[in-house]
Amino acid sequence: MKNGRDPVIVGIADAPLKDGKFVTNASVLGHAALVAKAAVEEAGLKLSDVDGLLTAGMWGIPGPGQLATVTLGEYLNIMPTFVDGTNIGGSAFEAHVAHAAMALREGYCEVALIVYSSDQKSLRSRNLGGRPSVLSMQHETPYGMPTPVGGYAMAAQRHMHEYGTTSENLAEIAVATRKWAQLNPEATRRDPLSIDDVLSSTMISEPLHLLDCCLVTDGAGAIVITTAERARDLKSKPVAVKGYGEAHTHWAIGEMPDLARLLPAQKAGERAMKMAGVSHSDIDVVEIYDSFTITVLLSLEALGFCKIGEGGDFVSGQRTAPGGRFPMNTSGGGLSALHPGMFGMFLLIEAVRQLRGDCGERQVKGAEIALVHGTGGTLSSGATVILQKD
Amino acid sequence: MSTEEPLPVIDHDSAPYWEAAREGRLDIPLCGDCGKHHFYPRSVCPYCHSDKLGFDTVSGRGEVHTFTIARRPAGPTFADDVPYVVALIELEEGPRMMSRIQTDDPEKVHIGAKVEVTFVKATDEVTFPYFKII
Ligand SMILES: [Zn+2]
């Protein structure tokens, strides 16, 4: 049943990159502000209309980034009355959509703005090592655990052991995703890629090769969500938020309940699909967090697109590539388009573009329903959003 | 190993564990209510949430649950160690713990391999429980 307070996405924006770096000269907060402004203006709104502010990032820590919404609100000179600084890693923005949707339905908020910005490439700050080994990390970091790739490698190793998944299976994902990037003029890596290229790339943390890993780039993005009622007067093509779910299980990879099974994705996905009233066959386009190739495989299984252990078969034969039966990661993903550290924002932006029909060469024909799934931490958190063309 | 490698920041939960390791014992928490061991050490049992916990010396034996061979070091202090094996060990008593496999041949490490603890002194304060294939 439709309700005037149903949440709809009315604005999106992302910052242009060249060779993975910001084109515009601005600070990390400057880029956040520029995409925030662009997203509200695309909707036909002003920043002064925003009463809900949601953000997560890795900037300014320790320091002002510890209170990220507060610092960003100050920079934008707005006084939000609904805020959410939930940071569960790269899936934070899918969770923000859920939280904004609930606030909008409740009448607690009228215009919610979700923002992300990272200048990690320009700053060369991706290395997560060198931090003090406190709390649960005292039992992993001192052993030389490569972070975050080592945790994903351990999950891949376990999946290979239990189900016979191969490096070739994982490479299929990297290759299919690159083919989408070749159709996206904004993607960072667009040169041709073969399965052999992936398998012969440098081994980083066995069994994961360099080309099983996401890019390291800058990036900034913003999303504006309001009510269906408010959206009627706005100029952009609305995309409805139909369902959502979130969950997390662990921080340290050694605490992951089952290294070959992504429980947060299972929990979040089931809830989101049930809420939206959709089944797998209703979904036209899928955007799944690809920090590493194994992340995608585990997500596909846990979300129920195939059985647990059958992810390798599922992605074989370039099934997820352009022209394949399962359009996935259509921007080129974190593997080939951009990965500023917390990629979940850009999964949402790409899904909205697909549902608006704005994707040019890479447009999935007739796309009406999208599933977006973010993963954060070291396979720690998951959050799913179901979007539908309004 | 180099003393420049990152050392654990020992806290009240973990102090008895690190102290035992210094003395060549693998001591992990045992719950006085549900009778389960757990790792890493907490002040509340992760299974039944009891706070009746004590430390128990365990066998130090287990098997490789999963592992990775690091071909790139986790920061410059580990550069001389490459390639090295970081492994998640499932102890006979049940809990899993992250560690290093001490080996001259990383390729020989496999899931299910039986292992036993061996203690490697890093500093006067810190001794690490590593594991070797048996
Ligand atoms: Zn207990």
Side-chain angles (χ1 to χ4, degrees):
Chain A
M1 202 165 51
K2 282 211 171 186
N3 183 305
R5 295 210 64 86
D6 284 346
V8 293
I9 296 176
V10 291
I12 51 166
D14 56 0
L17 303 178
K18 187 167 191 314
D19 301 325
K21 290 186 183 178
F22 284 130
V23 175
T24 313
N25 286 320
S27 72
V28 67
L29 282 171
H31 284 292
L34 289 167
V35 291
K37 173 180 153 71
V40 294
E41 286 178 355
E42 193 211 27
L45 292 161
K46 299 190 294 292
L47 272 167
S48 55
D49 294 320
V50 171
D51 64 348
L53 183 62
L54 305 89
T55 195
M58 297 298 280
W59 45 264
I61 298 172
Q66 287 169 274
L67 277 65
T69 62
V70 174
T71 300
L72 181 59
E74 171 194 278
Y75 195 99
L76 296 172
N77 191 26
I78 60 173
M79 185 173 75
T81 51
F82 162 60
V83 297
D84 182 12
T86 298
N87 193 341
I88 52 172
S91 59
F93 311 101
E94 283 71 30
H96 290 170
V97 169
H99 303 168
M102 288 186 274
L104 289 159
R105 286 192 204 280
E106 183 73 12
Y108 194 64
C109 168
E110 293 299 325
V111 177
L113 169 67
I114 308 173
V115 192
Y116 172 64
S117 180
S118 162
D119 55 358
Q120 66 166 10
K121 171 87 169 174
S122 299
L123 287 183
R124 300 166 189 241
S125 65
R126 179 59 181 165
N127 189 357
L128 301 177
R131 294 183 188 168
S133 306
V134 300
L135 303 173
S136 59
M137 287 296 93
Q138 70 186 285
H139 305 291
E140 294 203 347
T141 314
Y143 299 104
M145 181 65 156
T147 308
V149 61
Y152 288 83
M154 286 189 178
Q157 194 84 270
R158 191 73 209 171
H159 201 275
M160 289 173 168
H161 174 77
E162 287 190 32
Y163 304 115
T165 304
T166 64
S167 291
E168 286 80 359
N169 293 151
L170 297 178
E172 289 267 5
I173 296 169
V175 170
T177 307
R178 177 64 59 86
K179 288 178 187 166
W180 285 108
Q182 290 181 295
L183 302 178
N184 177 8
E186 302 301 321
T188 300
R189 292 293 302 273
R190 305 184 66 209
D191 44 320
L193 185 69
S194 70
I195 287 179
D196 280 347
D197 291 337
V198 179
L199 298 180
S200 60
S201 64
T202 309
M203 188 64 88
I204 303 289
S205 184
E206 270 185 51
L208 298 181
H209 302 80
L210 178 66
L211 293 172
D212 285 301
C213 306
C214 63
L215 305 174
V216 176
T217 70
D218 295 340
I223 296 174
V224 180
I225 314 184
T226 189
T227 61
E229 194 174 18
R230 183 83 178 257
R232 272 185 223 121
D233 305 327
L234 300 177
K235 60 181 182 179
S236 68
K237 289 182 237 175
V239 167
V241 178
K242 302 300 282 186
Y244 36 83
E246 65 196 285
H248 56 64
T249 48
H250 63 277
W251 162 254
I253 192 70
E255 298 291 313
M256 186 167 175
D258 180 344
L259 280 102
R261 193 162 183 167
L262 201 51
L263 293 175
Q266 190 179 324
K267 202 84 175 168
E270 269 174 16
R271 189 176 206 173
M273 289 179 69
K274 193 173 173 205
M275 192 187 297
V278 298
S279 64
H280 293 94
S281 59
D282 296 326
I283 294 163
D284 303 306
V285 58
V286 171
E287 307 292 344
I288 289 184
Y289 203 115
D290 55 346
S291 45
F292 299 91
T293 49
I294 184 67
T295 318
V296 178
L297 196 110
L298 291 170
S299 301
L300 286 169
E301 292 181 359
L303 291 165
F305 287 106
C306 60
K307 290 197 179 119
I308 301 290
E310 293 182 357
D313 282 346
F314 186 82
V315 299
S316 292
Q318 292 296 288
R319 187 194 191 111
T320 69
R325 278 178 297 155
F326 192 83
M328 180 185 83
N329 296 354
T330 51
S331 70
L335 291 168
S336 285
L338 78 165
H339 194 285
M342 296 169 70
F343 180 63
M345 168 62 72
F346 305 93
L347 296 171
L348 290 159
I349 290 174
E350 174 66 9
V352 170
R353 288 191 172 131
Q354 286 287 346
L355 298 177
R356 285 178 175 179
D358 287 350
C359 282
E361 261 197 289
R362 68 180 192 281
Q363 180 64 44
V364 175
K365 298 246 178 343
E368 294 202 348
I369 299 180
L371 179 145
V372 179
H373 182 77
T375 292
T378 313
L379 299 166
S380 310
S381 69
T384 312
V385 176
I386 308 290
L387 300 175
Q388 185 167 13
K389 188 174 166 181
D390 214 27
Chain B
M1 69 185 281
S2 156
T3 53
E4 286 166 23
E5 290 176 12
L7 292 168
V9 179
I10 297 171
D11 54 43
H12 287 299
D13 285 350
S14 64
Y17 161 77
W18 289 112
E19 193 183 318
R22 259 197 323 268
E23 293 164 3
R25 294 190 320 276
L26 189 62
D27 285 10
I28 65 171
L30 175 64
C31 179
D33 275 322
C34 72
K36 285 184 182 162
H37 289 93
H38 77 257
F39 193 84
Y40 55 89
R42 294 156 163 94
S43 289
V44 170
C45 171
Y47 304 111
C48 75
H49 301 126
S50 165
D51 58 3
K52 264 177 63 186
L53 296 167
F55 277 82
D56 182 42
T57 302
V58 292
S59 64
R61 286 188 300 272
E63 63 174 53
V64 175
H65 183 70
T66 188
F67 69 101
T68 186
I69 306 173
R71 300 280 176 187
R72 290 265 182 94
T77 52
F78 292 104
D80 293 344
D81 298 356
V82 168
Y84 59 90
V85 182
V86 185
L88 186 59
I89 305 302
E90 187 165 294
L91 298 172
E92 276 185 356
E93 292 78 9
R96 293 178 192 150
M97 60 183 289
M98 199 62 76
S99 185
R100 260 299 177 100
I101 302 287
Q102 214 178 40
T103 176
D104 296 331
D105 189 358
E107 302 288 342
K108 283 225 172 90
V109 177
H110 60 93
I111 289 178
K114 302 290 179 206
V115 293
E116 188 173 71
V117 72
T118 176
F119 292 94
V120 176
K121 184 177 172 178
T123 66
D124 284 345
E125 289 75 38
V126 175
T127 292
F128 289 113
Y130 278 18
F131 286 80
K132 56 179 190 239
I133 308 278
I134 50 173

